[in-house]
Amino acid sequence: MSQSDNYPADNYPEKSTTAEPGREERDPSAVWGKVDSPKEAVKAATQSRYGLMRVLATFRGWWRDDVIGQVDHEDVIAKRRDDCLMSEHYLFMTAMSAGIAVIGLLQSSTAVVIGAMLLSPLMGPIMGLGFALGITDYQWLKQSTMSLFWGSFGAVLLCSIIVFVSPITTITPEIAARTQPNLFDLLVALFSGLAGAYAMIRGRANAIVGVAIATALMPPLAVVGFGFATFNWTVFSGALLLFVTNLVTIALTAWGLSKIYGFRGSLSQRQSQFQNTMIVVVFLALAVPLGLSLRTIAWEANAQRIVREEITEEFEGSGRLAELDISFTEELIGVTATMFSPDFREDAEGDITKALEGRLGRSVNMTLAQVETGSSARDTDEAALAAARAREEQAAASARANALAGRLALIAGVPDSEVTVDTGRKRATVRALELEGASLASYRALEMRIAATEPDWVIEVLPPMGDLPRTVSFGEEGPDQEGQKALALIEWAAKRTGLPVVLSGREVEATQAAEALKESGVNARIEPGFGPLRAVWGEP
């Protein structure tokens, strides 16, 4: 197709046959493809009165014929429609992705959360919204909206149920990271939407995996479910804003790219202008709260820098800031710091607090721990290394204690909060619930199993009231093997419950068993009787 076919001759004035003095007329068709740099191309195009228009016309023709013309619009639309169907596969994969996401968030496991992103099929109906807007197919738009709504609703509901029954309801770093969206999240969604829409239009399916990870559609929904289950509306609203930001931005980006690649609808010019205006308004409506959130984050980052500066300047650079923890609220800034320095400054905490309140304009609650070190830099480094090792050991011990509490809570059938853990004395105690079919021997076996894995700890499982062994068998020289096991169980149960034991049977056997129990610290008394030795609980 020639250039004259695209643009009628009467649209252009007749060219002058004489060139202006000092200016040589050049043929743009001869210039195109022969220039050595973009600067030369622009210069060459402007040497002719109509050269720039012809360059633009050439670009438009290339885009129409070699780019848009290579796209199978019908095939793209058919595939996008299939992705929007609310099928069993879609609902099942959405539920599985939500379950994996919320477990990964509760465990603060980045790898598990990424796995949930890869499984999530929510990208399909969101992209469908954009393409449906692009071709003005409102039936398809309705179908995509319904699929997205029910998928999102089911994901939030499932995550809420999992969190509600879970013993872990703490806000982990993975959860906190999705409760404060900002303008950068909008930009990530924008670029991800461009990449995803381009991959779908051009058939680059291998790029969808990266887009799924970048947009992270499912984790914010899982955090919404967490906020709902724990009645934490700050977490709920922040995660919901992040999800809506990703959703709307990706959908509108897909709409824009579909327009660029020639997907057209049946709207009039006035309707198209109204649609474009509404889309701009939506982007601005999202940008305002996200921009304010970004402003808050920037202020907090600057405040952290100021805190470090003031603490360092107070010690005139002679010390080292080993630890710094800052918390922000609307009215108060909490600062906890540890400083290694050869000089102890009595007024350092008050001076730093006053300086920070002057610079930050908020009340500051300062807690400063000063650790005196030698005067040399080596002494300071050694003190800092020792403190770092101590913190690592403390963190490892705390993690081990938490894991132990979780295991004890599991075997006792109680929440983690019901387990008493004394890390200083290395002692862990839990009162077990009455489990169906479990005897005192069962609880003792569970305790011994846990204790075998934690030899440095004292493990105590306090059993519910249960029957003591019916008989304590004796041989010629004293309790036989089974009798010794029965006495060991009686001793364990009496120590865990704190109740006395009453022994009845043959006097010789009862006396021998009572003496053995008393030597172990058990309150045991004898009642006259006949036959095999029996043990029952006494009155407290």
Side-chain angles (χ1 to χ4, degrees):
M1 182 180 292
S2 66
Q3 199 66 40
S4 59
D5 294 335
N6 293 326
Y7 297 92
D10 54 9
N11 286 347
Y12 298 91
E14 185 177 353
K15 291 185 180 180
S16 173
T17 56
T18 59
E20 295 179 5
R23 179 176 178 180
E24 182 182 358
E25 189 76 10
R26 299 178 67 184
D27 184 4
S29 62
V31 174
W32 185 266
K34 295 183 179 181
V35 295
D36 296 327
S37 66
K39 183 176 180 181
E40 184 179 348
V42 173
K43 180 179 178 182
T46 54
Q47 285 181 347
S48 172
R49 291 183 61 182
Y50 310 106
L52 183 59
M53 295 180 64
R54 292 187 177 275
V55 169
L56 294 176
T58 302
F59 174 79
R60 289 176 59 188
W62 167 78
W63 182 263
R64 183 184 63 247
D65 299 334
D66 296 339
V67 178
I68 296 179
Q70 301 300 318
V71 175
D72 189 343
H73 293 72
E74 293 183 359
D75 181 63
V76 171
I77 293 298
K79 290 181 179 179
R80 299 291 72 78
R81 287 184 188 275
D82 291 340
D83 291 341
C84 299
L85 296 176
M86 191 167 57
S87 60
E88 293 180 5
H89 172 78
Y90 168 76
L91 294 176
F92 178 78
M93 294 302 292
T94 302
M96 296 303 98
S97 174
I100 294 173
V102 73
I103 293 173
L105 292 170
L106 291 174
Q107 293 181 329
S108 196
S109 173
T110 304
V112 176
V113 174
I114 292 176
M117 299 176 194
L118 296 177
L119 285 180
S120 173
L122 292 176
M123 181 67 77
I126 293 176
M127 283 291 183
L129 289 175
F131 281 94
L133 281 173
I135 66 172
T136 64
D137 187 335
Y138 290 106
Q139 187 63 32
W140 184 15
L141 182 67
K142 179 181 177 181
Q143 181 186 35
S144 300
T145 303
M146 293 301 295
S147 296
L148 181 61
F149 171 78
W150 286 113
S152 303
F153 178 79
V156 171
L157 181 62
L158 178 61
C159 291
S160 300
I161 294 173
I162 293 175
V163 173
F164 185 78
V165 301
S166 170
I168 304 174
T169 56
T170 55
I171 299 178
T172 62
E174 287 288 339
I175 294 175
R178 291 167 175 84
T179 59
Q180 198 174 18
N182 54 60
L183 196 58
F184 288 142
D185 294 305
L186 179 70
L187 296 177
V188 169
L190 175 63
F191 294 136
S192 301
L194 287 172
Y198 174 81
M200 291 178 177
I201 292 173
R202 302 296 294 177
R204 306 293 193 269
N206 57 340
I208 301 300
V209 174
V211 173
I213 297 176
T215 53
L217 292 167
M218 185 53 71
L221 270 185
V223 177
V224 170
F226 176 90
F228 181 77
T230 57
F231 300 102
N232 190 328
W233 304 119
T234 301
V235 172
F236 179 88
S237 59
L240 184 61
L241 178 60
L242 177 59
F243 176 72
V244 172
T245 298
N246 289 339
L247 185 159
V248 174
T249 305
I250 294 172
L252 295 185
T253 303
W255 166 84
L257 211 62
S258 69
K259 289 292 189 182
I260 293 175
Y261 272 90
F263 292 83
R264 292 288 182 265
S266 57
L267 291 180
S268 64
Q269 183 177 1
R270 183 176 180 180
Q271 290 173 325
S272 297
Q273 291 177 350
F274 176 77
Q275 187 185 68
N276 296 341
T277 303
M278 291 304 299
I279 289 173
V280 172
V281 169
V282 170
F283 265 116
L284 292 177
L286 287 174
V288 170
L290 295 175
L292 294 175
S293 178
L294 179 61
R295 180 183 176 185
T296 301
I297 293 174
W299 186 90
E300 291 180 357
N302 185 56
Q304 291 178 347
R305 179 185 60 80
I306 292 174
V307 170
R308 289 181 177 274
E309 287 180 357
E310 290 296 336
I311 296 176
T312 304
E313 290 176 4
E314 177 65 24
F315 290 86
E316 299 176 353
S318 61
R320 172 177 294 182
L321 184 60
E323 188 175 348
L324 180 62
D325 184 29
I326 306 175
S327 60
F328 297 92
T329 62
E330 294 183 1
E331 303 295 335
L332 183 68
I333 300 175
V335 179
T336 303
T338 301
M339 190 72 181
F340 293 100
S341 175
D343 301 321
F344 183 85
R345 299 174 182 265
E346 294 184 359
D347 300 329
E349 189 172 294
D351 293 341
I352 295 173
T353 301
K354 185 176 180 180
L356 290 176
E357 289 179 345
R359 294 186 65 178
L360 299 177
R362 289 191 192 178
S363 298
V364 176
N365 183 13
M366 181 79 187
T367 302
L368 178 63
Q370 300 185 53
V371 180
E372 290 189 71
T373 61
S375 57
S376 66
R378 181 177 180 180
D379 293 334
T380 303
D381 292 341
E382 289 179 352
L385 288 173
R389 293 192 194 100
R391 287 196 300 272
E392 290 179 359
E393 292 175 359
Q394 185 178 4
S398 178
R400 188 172 182 178
N402 291 334
L404 175 58
R407 292 162 61 197
L408 285 173
L410 182 62
I411 67 170
V414 298
D416 289 4
S417 57
E418 298 294 327
V419 181
T420 303
V421 179
D422 187 345
T423 54
R425 298 180 180 180
K426 290 190 174 182
R427 190 184 193 93
T429 306
V430 62
R431 184 172 297 279
L433 295 177
E434 186 173 356
L435 304 176
E436 185 178 356
S439 63
L440 289 175
S442 302
Y443 293 105
R444 183 169 181 250
L446 291 172
E447 179 187 285
M448 294 174 65
R449 186 180 302 172
I450 298 294
T453 62
E454 302 291 341
D456 299 333
W457 284 73
V458 176
I459 308 297
E460 292 183 347
V461 176
L462 308 182
M465 288 295 296
D467 295 333
L468 292 173
R470 292 184 177 182
T471 60
V472 180
S473 56
F474 274 71
E476 295 180 358
E477 298 180 358
D480 58 15
Q481 187 175 3
E482 292 300 323
Q484 291 176 2
K485 290 181 180 179
L487 282 176
L489 179 59
I490 293 171
E491 175 190 338
W492 174 84
K495 287 182 177 180
R496 295 293 179 267
T497 61
L499 295 175
V501 176
V502 178
L503 301 172
S504 62
R506 300 183 183 94
E507 184 176 357
V508 176
E509 296 177 354
T511 301
Q512 187 176 353
E515 290 177 355
L517 291 174
K518 287 178 180 179
E519 288 179 1
S520 302
V522 175
N523 183 6
R525 67 175 185 266
I526 301 173
E527 287 186 354
F530 300 96
L533 182 63
R534 296 186 301 273
V536 295
W537 293 113
E539 294 294 332

